Amino acid sequence: MIENQKTVYQYPSARFVKSAVSLKDLPKERLPQIAFLGRSNVGKSSLLNALTGKKNLVKVSATPGKTREINFFEINNAFYIVDLPGVGYAKVSFSKQEQMENSIRQYIEGAEDLKGVIYLVDIRHAGTPIDIETVEHIRNAGCPVLIVASKRDKVNQSEFAKNRKLMQERFGLETLPLAVSSLKKTGLKELWNEVLKAVSVEF
Ligand SMILES: Nc1nc2c(ncn2[C@@H]2O[C@H](COP(=O)(O)OP(=O)(O)OP(=O)(O)O)[C@@H](O)[C@H]2O)c(=O)[nH]1
Ligand SMILES: [Mg+2]
């Protein structure tokens, strides 16, 4: 169990299943999937560690471009969380980046068991043109997207309020987006509930 201001829940079991580079090598076992996407360094892999209460389930790095493959983690033997490489990462060569983004796109458009995408946006940037374009693309592909503000601990209260509102406007959201901090472990319970809803699993 973790506890902070308002977050208390039972950590799930989580195990790494496989890395895939294309739709051809998805896991054999058919379970619902939910994927984490967002720009490089936004905190996707850290969030997976924080949500599952495992420090080193997924490798994280201060250098953008850490995650290079489509990584599947089986949660409570009931669904997969899929950790994706970052979008808009400029430090790998253009063709490599294009290859990676192609495989992300193909995965999102083609994975039959994908129930939704959690799209992370660094609260300090409140959504760049690349984020807005990527989210639009996912929505057009018919996949539900939940926009979540990451690194909540990096901004003060007034910046937080301002950027959260900006995010709502930029992404055309009905309500203010959820916000999380993997470092401070805030917002995790709320996000976990959304994950469970998306994969239609109750624990
Ligand atoms: N302060 C703070 N730092 C964070 C938080 N989440 C992640 N970080 C840091 O941000 C950096 C990137 O984290 P990752 O989890 O590797 O980011 P990623 O989105 O998986 O990055 P790629 O795999 O390169 O796309 C690391 O140095 C993390 O420690 C957070 O909530 N607060
Ligand atoms: Mg990563």
Side-chain angles (χ1 to χ4, degrees):
M1 298 278 269
I2 55 169
E3 286 186 38
N4 58 41
Q5 297 118 350
K6 49 190 163 55
T7 311
V8 178
Y9 70 99
Q10 183 91 45
Y11 285 135
S13 74
R15 71 178 181 95
F16 172 72
V17 175
K18 73 177 298 185
S19 289
V21 287
S22 80
L23 264 183
K24 277 179 281 177
D25 39 32
L26 299 186
K28 291 207 173 54
E29 194 181 359
R30 299 281 305 263
L31 292 173
Q33 302 171 5
I34 185 145
F36 289 0
L37 190 60
R39 298 197 65 174
S40 271
N41 212 241
V42 73
K44 301 174 292 295
S45 299
S46 302
L47 183 59
L48 177 47
N49 284 336
L51 283 173
T52 55
K54 314 256 180 309
K55 270 212 174 103
N56 300 308
L57 182 66
V58 199
K59 287 202 185 82
V60 307
S61 165
T63 314
K66 181 67 186 170
T67 310
R68 299 289 177 89
E69 289 165 328
I70 303 174
N71 294 309
F72 291 84
F73 297 86
E74 193 181 289
I75 308 297
N76 280 2
N77 307 312
F79 64 94
Y80 293 116
I81 289 180
V82 185
D83 187 30
L84 293 169
V87 293
Y89 173 54
K91 276 192 191 161
V92 285
S93 71
F94 184 73
S95 64
K96 234 185 179 169
Q97 180 182 332
E98 211 171 43
Q99 246 174 39
M100 220 152 65
E101 297 201 358
N102 263 338
S103 57
I104 296 172
R105 203 174 305 130
Q106 281 169 13
Y107 166 71
I108 287 172
E109 290 169 3
E112 287 177 28
D113 298 327
L114 180 62
K115 303 300 177 196
V117 169
I118 307 284
Y119 193 93
L120 289 186
V121 173
D122 189 318
I123 187 65
R124 292 170 295 180
H125 307 138
T128 63
I130 288 176
D131 291 314
I132 290 159
E133 189 192 311
T134 308
V135 166
E136 195 164 295
H137 185 90
I138 304 168
R139 284 177 177 153
N140 288 341
C143 183
V145 188
L146 181 73
I147 311 282
V148 173
S150 70
K151 304 194 183 182
R152 163 70 184 91
D153 60 281
K154 291 274 197 186
V155 290
N156 63 28
Q157 188 56 39
S158 69
E159 226 177 324
F160 175 61
K162 187 182 95 203
N163 284 7
R164 207 174 173 212
K165 186 91 191 93
L166 249 182
M167 278 178 67
Q168 182 179 9
E169 286 162 17
R170 286 180 179 166
F171 292 99
L173 310 177
E174 282 174 16
T175 57
L176 290 166
L178 281 182
V180 295
S181 166
S182 300
L183 186 72
K184 303 280 185 200
K185 305 204 185 318
T186 53
L188 300 181
K189 170 101 196 256
E190 291 80 357
L191 180 57
W192 188 241
N193 287 339
E194 293 301 322
V195 168
L196 297 186
K197 255 195 259 167
V199 293
S200 310
V201 167
E202 270 180 49
F203 295 130

